[in-house]
Amino acid sequence: MQKIKSLMTRQGLKSPPESLSDLGAIESLRVPGKEEFRELREQPTDPQAEQELINSIEQVYFSTDSFDIVKYELEKLPPVLNLQELEEYRDKLKQQQAAELERVTSLQTGLQLAAVICTNGRRHLNIAKEGFTQASLGLLANQRKRQLLIGLLKSLRTIKTLQRTDVRLSEMLEEEDYPGAIQLCLECQKAASTFKHYSCISELNSKLQDTLEQIEEQLDVALSKICKNFDINHYTKVQQAYRLLGKTQTAMDQLHMHFTQAIHNTVFQVVLGYVELCAGNTDTKFQKLQYKDLCTHVTPDSYIPCLADLCKALWEVMLSYYRTMEWHEKHDSEDTISASEGSNMMGTEETNFDRGYIKKKLEHGLTRIWQDVQLKVKTYLLGTDLSIFKYDDFIFVLDIISRLMQVGEEFCGSKSEVLQESIRKQSVNYFKNYHRTRLDELRMFLENETWELCPVKSNFSILQLHEFKFMEQSRSPSVSPSKQPASTSSKTVTLFEQYCSGGNPFEIQANHKDEETEDVLASNGYESDEQEKSAYQEYDSDSDVPEELKRDYVDEQTGDAPVKSVSRETLKSRKKSDYSLNKVNAPILTNTTLNVIRLVGKYMQMMNILKPIAFDVIHFMSQLFDYYLYAIYTFFGRNDSLESTGLGLSSSRLRTTLNRIQESLIDLEVSADPTSTLAAAEERKEKVPSPHLSHLVVLTSGDTLYGLAERVVATESLVFLAEQFEFLQPHLDAVMPAVKKPFLQQFYSQTVSTASELRKPIYWIVAGKAIDYEQMLLLMANVKWDVKEIMSQHNIYVDALLKEFEQFNRRLNEVSKRVWIPLPVSNILWEHCIRLANRTIVEGYANVKKCSNEGRALMQLDFQQFLMKLEKLTDIRPIPDKEFVETYIKAYYLTENDMERWIKEHREYSTKQLTNLVNVCLGSHINKKARQKLLAAIDDIDRPKR
C-alpha cells in the first residue's frame, strides 16, 4: 500500500479517500493524453507479463518523496552515450510506467466502489436505529438468560443426583450387586467429568474414586468366598464386576492367591479345633504354633476324625476350584459364539487374550493347589506315629488317603508321589510288625487247633466276610450287575461328577466302619431246621458244591482223570453207605482256616489301598499260606518211611516247596545262640518256630482210622484255602508290580498248586495202618505152595484180607458221619489201601521158599478171588497195582533168557522179590553159573539205589 501511495504521489495522484468528504478529490485525478493512452494500449495485457514488468521496477523508485528520479537516471548514464541503447532503455521505462499506471487505475476503481458500499451501510444503520426500541433488545437478552438458567438447572439436578448415589451404592453392595454398583459408579464418574468446571464436583470426584476402591475391596472379599463354597450366581456377579473394571486377569491372580490361603487357613482351623478340644482348655498357645508343630499335638483318639474332617474341608476347596473351571469353560464357549457374531475385531482380540490367560492360569493352578493339599496332609500324617494304631484304624487311615489320592488323580492327573512316599515307609514298617504278630498268633492257633469242622453255610463265600467287602465295591458289572449302578455300565463317573451337586466322598468312610456285619456260620451244621430234615432228600442237588469237588478224582501227577474212576451217578446211588454224604456239603474248613482267610482279606485291604507296597503285602500273604501248608504237613504227613516205599507219594515239586518253606520261614533252633552274628539274629526275627500238634488230637486210634476225621478236616481245609488263593489270583496280579510278577507266578505254580498233593502222603499213613498187612504176611507164610495138584479153593489169607477191607469200609462210613469225605479223598484212601494190599501180596509171594506150577496156579486163584470180592466193595477202576501182582506171578513161567530181559525191564520190584524169582522159579532147572549171572544182573540194578 505504501508503494502505491508513493507511486500515486509521483504521478500527481492523491491517496485514496478516507471519508465521504474526500470523494471529490477523485474527480481531480489527471487523465492521460491521447498519445499516452496509445502507448499504454500498446503495452502487453498478459497479467503474468504485466506482473513481471512491475517486479522489474527498481525499489529505489518507491522510496521517499525527496527522491530525484531525473538525477538518478542521469547519473546512471554511461560516459559515452549510445542513442539506440538510450531509446531502448527509455522504452523500457515507459513500459514499466504504463504497467504501473494500469494497476493504479484498477485500484482507483476499487476504492470508488468501496466508498459507495460504506455510504449504503451507514444509511441502513441509521434506518435500523430508528426502527427498533430498547425494550426489544432487552427481551432478547432475557430469553438468552432464560436458556442459560434452564441449562444451569439441569446441571444442578444432575449434580444433586450424583450427590445422592452413596445410598444407592450402599444398597447395591448389601445386595451383592457388584456389577450394578460398579456400572453406577463408572457412570457417575463420567457424568462428573462433564461438570468438572463446578467447584463442588472436584470433591464428588474424589468421593466416587474412594467408593470405587471400596467396591474393589469388597469384590476381593466376595471372590475369596468362592474358595470354600462355590455359588454360580455369586461368581457370575463377581466376574461381571471385574470385567466392567477391566481387571479379569487381576481377578484370576487374586483368586489363586485366595485358594492358597484358603487351604492353609482351612487345615489350620480344623487341626486347631481338635487340638483345643482334646486339650480341654481355652489356652491360646496353640493358635501361635506353626501348622507342623500343631499336628504333633493331635491325640491318637482324635487322629482319624481329624483326618476325615481335614479331607472333607480340602475336598470342598478342590470342588470349588473344579466348579470354577467348569464355569469358565462354559462361559468361554458362550463368549466365543458371541464374538463370532460380532464385528469388533479389536475387542475380540483383547477378549481372546484374557480368555487364554485365564485358561492357562487355571490349568497351572490345578497342580499347584493339589501340591499344597498334598504337603498339608503329608505334614499331618508325619505328625503322629502310626505304628501304635490298631489294624482297622490303620486301614481306615490308608483308605482315607487312598480316596484322597483318587481325588488328586481326577483333579489334575497326579500320581500323588508326595502322599505315597509319606505313607509307604510307615506302612511297610507297620505291616512288618503286624505280620510278625499275626504269624505268632497263627502258630498259637495251629497248636491249639483240634481240627474240628467249622460249620459254615453251604453257599459260603469269602466275599461274605467283611474283610472282603472292598472287593464287591470294585467288581465289574459283569461279575455283579445287581451291585452296580446302571450308569456305570456305560460311563465311569468321577468323584467330582458324583459329588458336584452335594455330599462328600469322605463322609462314606465314617459310616463304612460300622458296616462289618456278616452271617456265614450255620447253626449246628445246618442252615435251618428244614434243611436238617431234607438234608438226605436233597443230596442230589450239588449247586453249592465247589467245581473242584464236582469233578471225579484227578491224578495228582498227570492232572488227568483215571479211565475208570467213581462216577457221580454211582456215588449218588450209594445212599446210606456213601462216605461223601454229610448233613450239608459245605466247605471243609476250621476256625484257623477262617482266621487265615480273614487275615488275607485284611492284607488285601492294605494292598488295595496302598499299591506301592503290594509286593511286600503279597509276600507276607504267601508266608501265611506257606506256614499253614507246612503245619499240615508236619502234623499229619511227615513220615520218613514214606519215601522208602519208592512210590513217589511226595512229588519233587512238593518236596522242593517244603524245603524252601523250612529254610526261609521256619526257625528250627530251640534257643538263640549268644555267639551268633547280628545278621543271623535279624534273620531269625523273620522266622517262626515250627508248630506242634495239640495233645488233644489223637492220631493213634484204629477205631477212628487214626484220626482220619482230623486229617480230612486239616488237609481239605488247606485245599479250600488254596482254592481261595486261586480265586484271588487275578486281583493280586492286577496290583503286583510288573517286575515282581514272576514271584507271584512261582508262588502259585510251586506252592498253591501243591496243596492237593499233600493228600497222598497224609492219607497214605492212614492206609498203612487201617489194614493189618503184617498179619496177612504171616498167614501167607503158612501156606504151602509146592502142592502137586491144582486147588479149587482159595487160601484163608484172602478172606482175612477182605475182612480187613470190610472193616475199613465200615470205619470209613463212621468217620463220614462226623466229617464229609470228598470223593477225591475216598478214592485216594481206597487206592492207597489196595495198592498196599497188592504190594503185600507180592511181598508174601516173594517169601515163598518152594513153589510148584500148581502153587503158581493157586496164587492166581487167590488173587482173582481177592479182586472179585474187592470190586464189590469199591468202584475204583482199574484196581491199582493189579498188573504189579499179575506180572510177578506170570514171571514164574519165564525161561532163563526171558528172565534176564524181564529183570532189566521191571525195576519196580525190590531186590528181594527179584532174587526170589531166580532162586525159586528157575533154581530147579538152571545151573549155578546161569543163576549167578541173573543174580549179578539184579545186583547191577540195585547198586544205583544204594
Side-chain angles (χ1 to χ4, degrees):
M1 192 67 184
Q2 184 64 31
K3 291 181 179 180
I4 293 172
K5 286 182 178 180
S6 176
L7 187 60
M8 291 178 68
T9 303
R10 291 187 180 91
Q11 297 297 329
L13 297 176
K14 294 181 179 180
S15 299
E18 297 179 357
S19 63
L20 292 175
S21 59
D22 296 332
L23 288 176
I26 298 176
E27 299 175 358
S28 64
L29 288 174
R30 184 177 61 90
V31 181
K34 293 182 180 179
E35 184 63 27
E36 290 177 346
F37 277 116
R38 182 182 61 82
E39 292 178 355
L40 289 176
R41 283 195 296 268
E42 293 175 356
Q43 302 302 320
T45 58
D46 184 11
Q48 184 176 358
E50 185 176 296
Q51 184 63 40
E52 288 178 357
L53 281 174
I54 294 173
N55 292 339
S56 63
I57 299 174
E58 295 182 34
Q59 289 295 325
V60 70
Y61 289 103
F62 302 104
S63 60
T64 60
D65 295 339
S66 61
F67 175 68
D68 189 350
I69 300 175
V70 176
K71 182 181 179 181
Y72 173 73
E73 290 296 335
L74 290 175
E75 288 177 351
K76 287 174 56 179
L77 292 175
V80 180
L81 300 175
N82 187 317
L83 181 60
Q84 184 178 356
E85 290 178 357
L86 287 176
E87 288 180 350
E88 290 176 357
Y89 183 68
R90 183 197 61 188
D91 293 339
K92 179 181 177 183
L93 289 176
K94 285 183 177 182
Q95 290 175 357
Q96 290 176 347
Q97 182 185 23
E100 186 67 26
L101 287 174
E102 182 68 23
R103 181 68 59 87
V104 171
T105 304
S106 175
L107 179 60
Q108 183 179 2
T109 304
L111 289 173
Q112 290 174 348
L113 180 61
V116 173
I117 292 172
C118 288
T119 302
N120 292 333
R122 288 177 180 179
R123 187 175 65 253
H124 284 83
L125 283 174
N126 288 330
I127 294 171
K129 186 176 180 181
E130 294 173 358
F132 293 97
T133 63
Q134 188 71 26
S136 298
L137 293 176
L139 183 62
L140 292 175
N142 289 335
Q143 178 63 20
R144 180 174 178 274
K145 187 176 182 180
R146 179 176 179 275
Q147 294 296 332
L148 292 174
L149 289 175
I150 290 174
L152 178 61
L153 182 60
K154 290 181 179 179
S155 299
L156 290 174
R157 286 174 177 171
T158 303
I159 293 172
K160 183 179 179 180
T161 303
L162 293 176
Q163 294 286 358
R164 292 179 177 176
T165 54
D166 283 350
V167 178
R168 181 55 185 154
L169 284 172
S170 299
E171 292 176 353
M172 286 183 169
L173 292 176
E174 289 178 3
E175 297 170 359
E176 295 185 346
D177 184 9
Y178 303 109
I182 292 174
Q183 184 71 37
L184 178 59
C185 197
L186 292 175
E187 289 176 357
C188 288
Q189 281 188 326
K190 184 177 180 181
S193 65
T194 307
F195 304 104
K196 61 184 177 180
H197 49 281
Y198 296 106
S199 58
C200 61
I201 290 299
S202 60
E203 182 181 348
L204 179 61
N205 255 330
S206 177
K207 191 174 182 181
L208 286 172
Q209 186 61 35
D210 293 341
T211 303
L212 195 60
E213 291 176 0
Q214 181 185 354
I215 293 174
E216 285 193 38
E217 292 176 2
Q218 293 192 26
L219 198 57
D220 190 56
V221 174
L223 186 66
S224 66
K225 294 179 182 178
I226 297 296
C227 300
K228 293 185 179 179
N229 186 17
F230 182 87
D231 182 83
I232 188 169
N233 295 325
H234 180 77
Y235 189 67
T236 302
K237 291 180 181 179
V238 171
Q239 282 296 321
Q240 288 175 350
Y242 273 112
R243 184 172 294 183
L244 288 173
L245 292 173
K247 294 184 177 182
T248 52
Q249 294 185 19
T250 304
M252 193 50 54
D253 295 337
Q254 287 293 107
L255 181 63
H256 281 81
M257 186 183 70
H258 287 314
F259 268 106
T260 302
Q261 191 66 31
I263 292 172
H264 174 77
N265 293 341
T266 297
V267 296
F268 187 86
Q269 291 301 322
V270 171
V271 177
L272 177 64
Y274 275 92
V275 170
E276 290 182 340
L277 181 65
C278 296
N281 55 46
T282 57
D283 193 353
T284 58
K285 67 176 182 179
F286 295 117
Q287 297 180 359
K288 300 176 183 178
L289 293 177
Q290 293 291 326
Y291 173 70
K292 182 178 180 181
D293 299 326
L294 188 65
C295 290
T296 60
H297 288 79
V298 179
T299 62
D301 291 339
S302 61
Y303 185 86
I304 292 178
C306 182
L307 177 61
D309 286 348
L310 197 67
C311 292
K312 286 180 187 177
L314 290 172
W315 161 261
E316 295 296 340
V317 175
M318 289 186 284
L319 179 61
S320 294
Y321 195 88
Y322 173 83
R323 297 187 65 186
T324 301
M325 290 194 68
E326 271 193 336
W327 186 94
H328 280 281
E329 288 174 1
K330 178 182 177 182
H331 283 74
D332 282 353
S333 60
E334 292 177 356
D335 291 345
T336 302
I337 295 172
S338 301
S340 62
E341 297 174 354
S343 59
N344 188 355
M345 296 301 295
M346 185 66 70
T348 302
E349 290 179 3
E350 184 177 353
T351 303
N352 288 339
F353 177 78
D354 288 344
R355 192 182 301 123
Y357 176 85
I358 291 172
K359 184 178 180 181
K360 289 182 180 179
K361 190 77 175 179
L362 287 171
E363 290 174 351
H364 176 72
L366 285 171
T367 306
R368 179 182 170 185
I369 287 175
W370 176 241
Q371 190 70 8
D372 288 344
V373 170
Q374 283 192 93
L375 292 174
K376 296 298 182 184
V377 177
K378 173 189 175 182
T379 303
Y380 181 83
L381 288 174
L382 299 179
T384 302
D385 182 11
L386 301 182
S387 62
I388 62 175
F389 278 35
K390 296 179 181 179
Y391 177 83
D392 289 340
D393 291 338
F394 187 75
I395 285 294
F396 193 63
V397 171
L398 293 186
D399 199 20
I400 292 176
I401 299 303
S402 175
R403 180 61 63 95
L404 185 61
M405 289 191 289
Q406 182 184 352
V407 170
E409 186 169 0
E410 294 179 3
F411 187 67
C412 63
S414 170
K415 297 301 180 183
S416 306
E417 291 83 359
V418 174
L419 282 178
Q420 289 193 22
E421 183 58 28
S422 65
I423 204 168
R424 188 187 66 82
K425 291 182 180 179
Q426 289 198 39
S427 298
V428 171
N429 292 333
Y430 177 90
F431 203 67
K432 280 184 178 179
N433 296 330
Y434 178 82
H435 176 64
R436 174 66 202 191
T437 305
R438 300 291 81 76
L439 278 178
D440 289 337
E441 286 182 0
L442 178 57
R443 179 169 67 92
M444 181 187 69
F445 276 120
L446 289 168
E447 291 181 343
N448 289 279
E449 179 63 68
T450 57
W451 303 104
E452 294 289 337
L453 192 65
C454 178
V456 295
K457 293 184 176 181
S458 59
N459 62 347
F460 169 75
S461 167
I462 61 173
L463 296 179
Q464 296 168 351
L465 301 175
H466 68 76
E467 286 85 357
F468 291 90
K469 292 293 184 184
F470 73 95
M471 289 180 61
E472 286 190 348
Q473 299 172 3
S474 61
R475 292 172 75 185
S476 62
S478 60
V479 176
S480 181
S482 61
K483 303 287 184 182
Q484 300 290 332
S487 59
T488 58
S489 59
S490 58
K491 180 184 177 182
T492 303
V493 180
T494 66
L495 292 174
F496 286 95
E497 294 171 342
Q498 184 177 353
Y499 296 99
C500 187
S501 57
N504 195 301
F506 297 97
E507 290 176 353
I508 300 175
Q509 308 298 326
N511 301 327
H512 181 67
K513 225 177 166 186
D514 301 328
E515 297 176 359
E516 297 183 349
T517 58
E518 59 186 22
D519 183 19
V520 296
L521 298 180
S523 60
N524 299 324
Y526 296 99
E527 297 179 39
S528 66
D529 293 338
E530 289 296 323
Q531 192 174 15
E532 183 176 3
K533 295 177 184 177
S534 60
Y536 284 89
Q537 300 173 4
E538 296 182 356
Y539 172 72
D540 288 346
S541 174
D542 58 359
S543 59
D544 292 328
V545 181
E547 280 298 323
E548 290 78 4
L549 303 183
K550 294 180 183 178
R551 297 197 297 263
D552 292 338
Y553 167 69
V554 177
D555 189 88
E556 299 296 337
Q557 300 295 326
T558 64
D560 299 326
V563 177
K564 295 183 180 179
S565 59
V566 180
S567 64
R568 291 197 62 80
E569 288 72 23
T570 304
L571 178 66
K572 293 176 182 178
S573 65
R574 289 166 33 202
K575 293 293 183 182
K576 294 183 180 179
S577 62
D578 186 2
Y579 342 110
S580 298
L581 178 63
N582 194 24
K583 298 173 183 177
V584 178
N585 287 352
I588 296 178
L589 67 158
T590 66
N591 287 325
T592 304
T593 318
L594 208 55
N595 266 330
V596 172
I597 292 173
R598 290 185 187 277
L599 272 180
V600 169
K602 290 181 177 181
Y603 283 26
M604 288 189 66
Q605 282 182 35
M606 177 174 286
M607 177 180 62
N608 188 62
I609 293 170
L610 201 62
K611 292 180 176 60
I613 67 166
F615 170 71
D616 302 275
V617 177
I618 292 177
H619 175 65
F620 293 148
M621 284 174 57
S622 70
Q623 288 186 346
L624 294 176
F625 186 86
D626 287 348
Y627 195 69
Y628 194 88
L629 183 148
Y630 186 82
I632 302 300
Y633 168 75
T634 304
F635 294 165
F636 304 105
R638 176 173 282 173
N639 192 329
D640 295 335
S641 63
L642 293 179
E643 302 304 325
S644 63
T645 62
L647 298 177
L649 296 174
S650 298
S651 66
S652 60
R653 183 174 63 167
L654 178 59
R655 290 194 299 272
T656 301
T657 297
L658 292 170
N659 290 335
R660 176 189 62 78
I661 296 173
Q662 183 170 298
E663 292 174 4
S664 63
L665 188 60
I666 306 303
D667 183 8
L668 299 176
E669 299 182 26
V670 179
S671 60
D673 185 2
T675 61
S676 63
T677 62
L678 181 62
E682 288 296 323
E683 184 179 352
R684 287 196 62 203
K685 285 183 179 180
E686 304 294 328
K687 295 185 177 183
V688 190
S690 179
H692 302 285
L693 183 65
S694 171
H695 66 279
L696 298 176
V697 180
V698 180
L699 303 178
T700 56
S701 173
D703 293 337
T704 61
L705 279 181
Y706 306 94
L708 177 61
E710 289 80 2
R711 293 176 190 272
V712 169
V713 171
T715 309
E716 299 312 306
S717 70
L718 173 64
V719 173
F720 178 77
L721 185 62
E723 291 171 355
Q724 307 317 304
F725 268 82
E726 293 283 359
F727 169 73
L728 296 173
Q729 184 178 5
H731 302 275
L732 301 180
D733 189 69
V735 296
M736 179 67 103
V739 294
K740 299 293 186 179
K741 286 192 176 183
F743 167 82
L744 186 63
Q745 295 168 357
Q746 185 177 12
F747 168 65
Y748 273 92
S749 62
Q750 298 296 325
T751 305
V752 177
S753 61
T754 61
S756 59
E757 294 182 12
L758 271 181
R759 284 170 170 166
K760 280 193 173 183
I762 289 175
Y763 297 136
W764 178 270
I765 295 175
V766 175
K769 296 178 180 180
I771 307 295
D772 192 349
Y773 304 104
E774 295 296 329
Q775 178 65 26
M776 189 176 67
L777 286 175
L778 293 175
L779 292 175
M780 292 181 71
N782 295 328
V783 176
K784 185 177 181 182
W785 299 102
D786 56 348
V787 294
K788 300 300 182 181
E789 57 183 22
I790 295 177
M791 307 296 292
S792 59
Q793 181 64 35
H794 61 273
N795 288 300
I796 59 172
Y797 74 88
V798 176
D799 295 326
L801 181 58
L802 289 171
K803 285 182 180 180
E804 289 285 330
F805 271 99
E806 289 173 355
Q807 184 180 13
F808 169 73
N809 191 27
R810 287 193 299 272
R811 289 176 176 175
L812 207 56
N813 279 320
E814 290 298 320
V815 172
S816 68
K817 294 177 181 179
R818 287 180 54 199
V819 178
W820 167 51
I821 300 178
L823 180 61
V825 176
S826 62
N827 281 349
I828 288 175
L829 283 168
W830 275 100
E831 180 187 348
H832 283 344
C833 288
I834 295 171
R835 180 171 280 126
L836 283 170
N838 285 337
R839 288 179 180 268
T840 302
I841 290 173
V842 171
E843 187 65 21
Y845 294 161
N847 291 333
V848 174
K849 302 300 181 183
K850 294 181 180 180
C851 182
S852 62
N853 289 334
E854 292 77 10
R856 294 167 198 152
L858 181 58
M859 290 180 183
Q860 288 181 329
L861 176 64
D862 290 345
F863 187 62
Q864 292 301 321
Q865 179 69 19
F866 170 68
L867 292 177
M868 183 180 66
K869 295 292 182 68
L870 182 64
E871 288 175 349
K872 295 180 180 180
L873 292 175
T874 179
D875 290 326
I876 290 183
R877 300 293 185 273
I879 297 297
D881 280 354
K882 173 184 176 183
E883 294 80 4
F884 184 79
V885 179
E886 292 176 341
T887 302
Y888 190 80
I889 295 174
K890 292 176 182 178
Y892 278 90
Y893 299 100
L894 297 176
T895 63
E896 176 186 347
N897 294 331
D898 293 335
M899 177 61 75
E900 184 177 1
R901 184 174 64 255
W902 187 91
I903 288 172
K904 293 179 180 180
E905 292 175 352
H906 293 80
R907 301 190 178 191
E908 66 270 20
Y909 298 100
S910 66
T911 302
K912 174 188 173 183
Q913 294 167 351
L914 294 175
T915 302
N916 178 269
L917 279 177
V918 173
N919 291 330
V920 177
C921 173
L922 302 177
S924 59
H925 57 272
I926 62 172
N927 56 35
K928 184 177 181 180
K929 184 177 180 181
R931 183 185 301 114
Q932 291 297 330
K933 181 180 178 183
L934 291 173
L935 292 175
I938 295 173
D939 189 61
D940 290 339
I941 294 173
D942 184 57
R943 189 175 292 113
K945 299 179 182 178
R946 289 179 292 190

